[in-house]
Amino acid sequence: KNVTMVTHFVLLGLTESRELQLALFALFSVAYLLILVGNGLIMVTVASDRHLHIPMYFFLGNLSFIDICHASVTAPKMLTDLLSGEKTISFGGCVAQLFFLHLCACAEIFLLTIMAYDRYMAICHPLQYPTLMSLPACTWLVGALWSGATVHSLVQTGLTVRLPYCGPNVIDSYFCDVPPVIKLACTDTYLTGVLIVSNSGLISLTCFLALLGSYLVILVSLRSRSTEGRRKALSTCASHLAVVALFFGPCIFIYTRPATSFSLDKVVSVFYTVVTPVLNPAIYTLRNQEMKGAMKKLRERQVFCRGK
């Protein structure tokens, strides 16, 4: 019968060495703090500076919000496990983590694709850009991406939960994800694995190819631009492409192949759950004069308010 009997799972984590666990706790604690502070600062800066109330920064603020949510799905549990050494998670907690992990990951994939479309419209169709990328249109796009991500996550979670889990309960990872969880099912999971890979892999690969196509068109169109215009466009696109490579690379590696495990999976997972959210604020601000200027003005306002 299709009845689940496992009440909890054991997460093997990143390492069994107690000394290395404490070292990783310190490292990932700093990383998680940087995620919260860096992405939170971008959200506050975009919201407080009216000069940044344009589609590109509207989407950047949403990306920072998704990065905070994405990291918060796995990082707090991972830090607790590293510190305590108790690496268990209830069946319900595992399902919830799996659902929100895919919700945030899929939302980020869709948002990065929308951001590429925004740059394509701004550079290749500047006259139609204000009409096509108005605030209502951008708001609608953000609502659509969350709706699509919710549907994707419900499909992934539903396919996973319907399987019976009656025996092994050890997950060779530091969080619950579809590939390592379905390996524990007490039934043949080949068809379920194919459906899951088709769903996640198709989304990752299709959006990645759409991104590459949009930037290829942008690069071709820049040949007729002035040197200054070409430099500014390339600077903006380079930041976006760096984020795309850091996020899509691990997603494609994990979700476009059958549910088999490699020793490299844990390291790759760290990249899209921790490393990318840490680097996004730096990538988008260090090369962006407008963001740096807005942050400087925000800091000056805070100093002025404290001095009054």
Side-chain angles (χ1 to χ4, degrees):
K1 293 183 179 179
N2 224 16
V3 178
T4 299
M5 291 184 288
V6 170
T7 58
H8 69 279
F9 292 105
V10 177
L11 302 170
L12 291 183
L14 294 170
T15 178
E16 295 182 2
S17 168
R18 188 57 187 157
E19 293 77 14
L20 192 53
Q21 285 178 10
L22 294 175
L24 289 174
F25 172 79
L27 177 64
F28 288 130
S29 294
V30 173
Y32 187 52
L33 182 62
L34 289 174
I35 291 170
L36 298 178
V37 173
N39 287 287
L41 181 60
I42 287 179
M43 292 170 61
V44 172
T45 303
V46 171
S48 62
D49 194 320
R50 60 185 181 84
H51 295 102
L52 300 182
H53 293 175
I54 58 176
M56 183 174 78
Y57 295 109
F58 173 74
F59 293 133
L60 179 57
N62 278 273
L63 179 64
S64 293
F65 173 73
I66 292 175
D67 277 339
I68 290 175
C69 295
H70 194 187
S72 297
V73 173
T74 57
K77 173 61 178 170
M78 175 179 63
L79 293 173
T80 302
D81 291 347
L82 287 171
L83 186 61
S84 66
E86 186 71 25
K87 303 175 183 178
T88 60
I89 185 171
S90 67
F91 185 85
C94 184
V95 171
Q97 189 178 60
L98 188 152
F99 173 82
F100 286 109
L101 176 76
H102 279 267
L103 176 67
C104 295
C106 190
E108 184 154 350
I109 286 175
F110 288 155
L111 182 57
L112 289 173
T113 308
I114 291 171
M115 291 173 74
Y117 174 73
D118 172 68
R119 291 300 84 208
Y120 163 76
M121 292 301 301
I123 295 171
C124 300
H125 301 282
L127 296 180
Q128 295 120 320
Y129 180 74
T131 303
L132 294 176
M133 299 303 291
S134 62
L135 180 59
C138 292
T139 305
W140 184 90
L141 286 171
V142 170
L145 77 86
W146 280 110
S147 299
T150 301
V151 172
H152 161 76
S153 191
L154 286 172
V155 170
Q156 295 290 99
T157 307
L159 289 171
T160 305
V161 171
R162 63 179 289 276
L163 298 172
Y165 299 92
C166 53
N169 68 337
V170 179
I171 298 175
D172 188 16
S173 183
Y174 61 93
F175 63 94
C176 288
D177 198 5
V178 175
V181 170
I182 66 172
K183 284 177 61 180
L184 304 179
C186 304
T187 187
D188 181 29
T189 60
Y190 175 77
L191 181 58
T192 302
V194 169
L195 292 174
I196 288 172
V197 169
S198 300
N199 184 278
S200 294
L202 186 63
I203 289 175
S204 301
L205 203 54
T206 301
C207 290
F208 181 67
L209 293 176
L211 281 161
L212 292 183
S214 66
Y215 281 110
L216 183 61
V217 174
I218 289 173
L219 290 175
V220 171
S221 70
L222 290 178
R223 293 185 302 177
S224 59
R225 301 298 178 89
S226 64
T227 303
E228 179 61 23
R230 192 182 304 123
R231 185 198 62 79
K232 187 175 181 180
L234 285 174
S235 177
T236 303
C237 294
S239 300
H240 192 192
L241 283 172
V243 173
V244 166
L246 285 170
F247 187 77
F248 274 87
C251 287
I252 291 173
F253 176 79
I254 292 175
Y255 296 115
T256 57
R257 57 181 169 83
T260 54
S261 298
F262 296 119
S263 58
L264 195 61
D265 284 356
K266 294 181 184 180
V267 178
V268 173
S269 296
V270 169
F271 264 89
Y272 79 91
T273 57
V274 179
V275 176
T276 302
V278 169
L279 294 180
N280 279 358
I283 291 172
Y284 278 112
T285 55
L286 292 179
R287 296 174 58 89
N288 191 312
Q289 296 300 322
E290 289 179 316
M291 279 297 298
K292 287 194 289 186
M295 287 181 175
K296 183 179 179 181
K297 287 192 291 184
L298 180 63
R299 185 171 63 250
E300 289 172 351
R301 285 201 300 270
Q302 289 177 332
V303 172
F304 176 75
C305 292
R306 289 174 183 172
K308 291 185 68 175

